[in-house]
Amino acid sequence: MARAASPDSIVARLLHPTSSSRLTRYVYRPCSLSMNGCNAAPERALGMCETRTLPAVSAPETALSELQTAVFSLKAEPPPRSPSGIIRLEVPVRQRANAVDWLQAQSHLPRCYFSGRERRMDLGFSPVNGGGIWANSGRDLVGVAGVGSAVFFQRVDPFSLQDWRCIRRFLSKDCPLIRAYGAIRFDARTNFSSEWKDFGSFYFTVPQVELDELEESSILATTIAWDDTLLWTWENAVDGLQATMHQISPYFHKSTKEVPQTTIISWNHVPTKASWNTSVNKALQIINSRSSELVKVVLARCSTYVTDTCIDPVTLLACLQVEGRNAYQFYIQPPDAPAFIGNTPEQLFHRKYLNISSEALAGTRARSLNKDEDLQIGRELLFSPKDHIEFTIVRESITSKLENICEEVLVEPSKALRKLPRVQHLCAQLSGRLRSEDDEFAILASLHPTPAVCGLPTEEARLFIENNDLFDRGMYAGPVGWFGGRESEFAVGIRSALVGKGFSTLIYAGVGIVEGSNPFSEWEELDLKASQFTKLLQQWEYQACCQEMNIGQKRVPPKYEFFQPNTDWNVELCKYTLKVYLPGFKKEEFKVQIDHKGKITVKGKRELGENKFMLLEQNFNVPKDSDHDKINGMFEDGCLTLHIPRKVSQDQKTTPSSHQTLIPSDDHEKKASDQKGHEDGVDDQKKKVMKEKVKSSENDESSKCCWLENGSVMDCLLERMNNNRKVIAVAFVAFSVGFYVSQKLKSAGN
């Protein structure tokens, strides 16, 4: 992949970007790709690797000027001739600068960002070349933002031990802040889709220019890397760095997280709700089969949101900082590619020298603003049998993998709650000690993919995902993080999205399927996990609409989406039982309608937020052998249960065949449905109201129906049928008399 390029051509591409590198509203200038370190021989050590620290300054603007001067001097007086090497120049800044704000001010690609959980990473260094006043400062590294690429590492083949050694070749314990940031595909053996093709099977980069945000200060740094064997000389590297630094903005302000005027034009889910139900049921069938070893499989969804403007991924990342507590934040954007961003709570592993830490994370519940309710939800998660099975699978699998590589493994605590702003999970902390630092690749290869994002056994789950996924996961759920000389840290790339190239935002989420899983509840969990992105998009759209209405442009119509509930039916000797699951619906938000032919209609409307509603409407045609005059039902714990008696003789002893089902009506197959029943017993006043409704609508065929209220409709239906019989009888007599009289008159006339 590496190509030599003249300095003039590099500068020309940087200063005069082509139109293909420009996005609507946001202009990005792609930089030179420098060299691909994967093409080098990993056994050939670098000629030099060092960090040079300049005197501290008071502001980032001054630091950039100092770095430009230092690079110019370094070009004039290069280090001793070496065929390969890497040099980091850094200027400490006495004030704290926000790394995301700095990244937002730059228009240079590629770009990257990473922050540790609690937004702190161990600085862990003591400069060896000058800058002694900065040594042993004990200040934690909050986040790192970088632009450009001093050296990158990328292939289309799966990440291998050879690739890891190529990255390690450019890293050193003496230069702990020279790090390679990037991500690895979830499954490199699957085909690449167009949106992920620029990432390759893996992508890592050592930034040319980076800002390190510390707790009380910051560091602005540049990195120069060269290797004559890769046709990237010292002169190429310095010229490329200078061209990049000319485009670095020295001025930036604290982000106000301004709301862009964005409107969601459309959105769709892959898989659809129907395909999702099919996949979940298929997985459950295999899991429950005695002939299969599959215990758990993680299914995922990709939701595409198309907006009328291109969303700046750094702006979205800045807004996610509100959700960033107790989670990793990352941003990876190769040249000419969209940005892969996320806010993940799950650690894959952290290595510092020989010490390794990891964690098991599984089970999900929403948070509540009410403290008592939140505690109750947490207790339900802790004692849920289904979530305990899923969590135990993840914890025991990671423990076993660590024990194969580490000398000792400690699990403490073995089960606890991890509370995030929107959700909470079950978690366990694991730690161990490597036998050698060279085992780092073995840890990465062994832990990924974990049962939390793939399943168990791993290969069986991976094959199920490969055969049933309808989209390319790309880097979603893959390792994302950084390699360093003294330590490395990787998170799992969940709660993530692909943003920025065009007008589409792709949001990813997944859930674990184990014995006892329910397709509808798992779909709701997908919505919950994706909500940190979808809520922002909906909030931006709503505020943009408010701005339009305030200036009198137009009134934005409400948005509707249809709800399709899960249903379950059971055939018994004397009755049919239909169960419809309606989580989130209240009994006053929907109605059940039954007409004289026995067709059941469920209608409802639920408010989801400002100017957005959930609609519910679907028909069911009951089987021909049902006694629909005597249908009754009840609504309890979010589940509507309808009992439909069958016209079966008492001496019939055979069980009806399974093909006699409740069939959705053709005219509403594409709409979402739901059904509602209440408690048994109807008082006289409500019966009277029901009779009046029927009587007032007898002349309208489309409204000849009865609303199911508190369980029973039998009395009202029978009275209406009796009334109909009387009307038919009178009409028949009148017709007969009329016909008889007309015949007599005709005979008399003849």
Side-chain angles (χ1 to χ4, degrees), residues 176-200:
L177 289 184
I178 297 179
R179 296 171 173 177
Y181 299 90
I184 303 173
R185 277 180 67 88
F186 172 78
D187 187 356
R189 287 168 283 189
T190 57
N191 295 328
F192 293 16
S193 62
S194 58
E195 65 267 20
W196 288 107
K197 65 181 179 63
D198 294 318
F199 287 82

Side-chain angles (χ1 to χ4, degrees), residues 296-300 450-455 461 465 469 473 476 510-513:
K296 174 186 177 180
V297 63
V298 179
L299 301 182
T450 70
V453 296
C454 182
I465 293 170
D469 260 3
R473 296 194 180 190
Y476 163 70
V511 294
I513 307 300

Side-chain angles (χ1 to χ4, degrees), residues 33-103:
L33 286 182
S34 64
M35 59 180 173
N36 189 346
C38 288
N39 295 330
E43 63 275 5
R44 183 178 298 173
L46 286 184
M48 63 184 305
C49 182
E50 63 180 57
T51 297
R52 301 183 181 183
T53 304
L54 305 178
V57 297
S58 58
E61 297 84 357
T62 308
L64 180 61
S65 176
E66 292 293 323
L67 283 176
Q68 288 174 330
T69 302
V71 171
F72 182 82
S73 300
L74 195 62
K75 182 179 182 179
E77 299 179 7
R81 180 63 184 170
S82 175
S84 62
I86 186 168
I87 298 176
R88 173 184 166 98
L89 303 176
E90 60 183 27
V91 178
V93 181
R94 295 189 183 93
Q95 72 180 47
R96 176 174 176 174
N98 186 283
V100 174
D101 296 342
W102 179 82
L103 188 66

Side-chain angles (χ1 to χ4, degrees), residues 372 539 735:
D372 293 335
Q539 176 187 357
F735 174 81

Side-chain angles (χ1 to χ4, degrees), residues 127-188:
V128 295
N129 298 307
I133 60 171
W134 208 249
N136 301 318
S137 63
R139 299 175 182 179
D140 288 331
L141 187 60
V142 175
V144 176
V147 297
S149 178
V151 55
F152 73 98
F153 308 88
Q154 187 179 41
R155 287 190 193 275
V156 295
D157 297 324
F159 188 68
S160 65
L161 177 62
Q162 178 89 350
D163 299 318
W164 176 78
R165 287 172 175 168
C166 288
I167 295 176
R168 294 282 298 179
R169 177 171 176 257
F170 286 86
L171 307 177
S172 170
K173 292 181 180 179
D174 295 331
C175 304
L177 289 184
I178 297 179
R179 296 171 173 177
Y181 299 90
I184 303 173
R185 277 180 67 88
F186 172 78
D187 187 356

Side-chain angles (χ1 to χ4, degrees), residues 112-261:
C112 64
Y113 174 84
F114 192 86
S115 69
R117 201 154 47 194
E118 298 289 354
R119 303 191 69 233
R120 294 181 182 181
M121 294 182 286
D122 186 9
L123 193 62
F125 80 105
S126 175
V128 295
N129 298 307
I133 60 171
W134 208 249
N136 301 318
S137 63
R139 299 175 182 179
D140 288 331
L141 187 60
V142 175
V144 176
V147 297
S149 178
V151 55
F152 73 98
F153 308 88
Q154 187 179 41
R155 287 190 193 275
V156 295
D157 297 324
F159 188 68
S160 65
L161 177 62
Q162 178 89 350
D163 299 318
W164 176 78
R165 287 172 175 168
C166 288
I167 295 176
R168 294 282 298 179
R169 177 171 176 257
F170 286 86
L171 307 177
S172 170
K173 292 181 180 179
D174 295 331
C175 304
L177 289 184
I178 297 179
R179 296 171 173 177
Y181 299 90
I184 303 173
R185 277 180 67 88
F186 172 78
D187 187 356
R189 287 168 283 189
T190 57
N191 295 328
F192 293 16
S193 62
S194 58
E195 65 267 20
W196 288 107
K197 65 181 179 63
D198 294 318
F199 287 82
S201 177
F202 61 90
Y203 174 80
F204 287 91
T205 179
V206 177
Q208 283 180 308
V209 184
E210 70 178 61
L211 179 72
D212 302 334
E213 178 186 355
L214 281 63
E215 282 192 306
E216 299 176 358
S217 57
S218 53
I219 301 173
L220 190 65
T222 62
T223 302
I224 308 169
W226 71 98
D227 190 338
D228 293 348
T229 63
L230 296 179
L231 304 180
W232 191 256
T233 64
W234 161 263
E235 291 76 14
N236 293 143
V238 174
D239 290 341
L241 175 60
Q242 286 183 319
T244 298
M245 294 187 69
H246 283 315
Q247 297 182 73
I248 297 297
S249 173
Y251 303 102
F252 59 97
H253 305 283
K254 185 174 179 60
S255 174
T256 58
K257 299 180 178 60
E258 294 182 358
V259 178
Q261 294 188 5

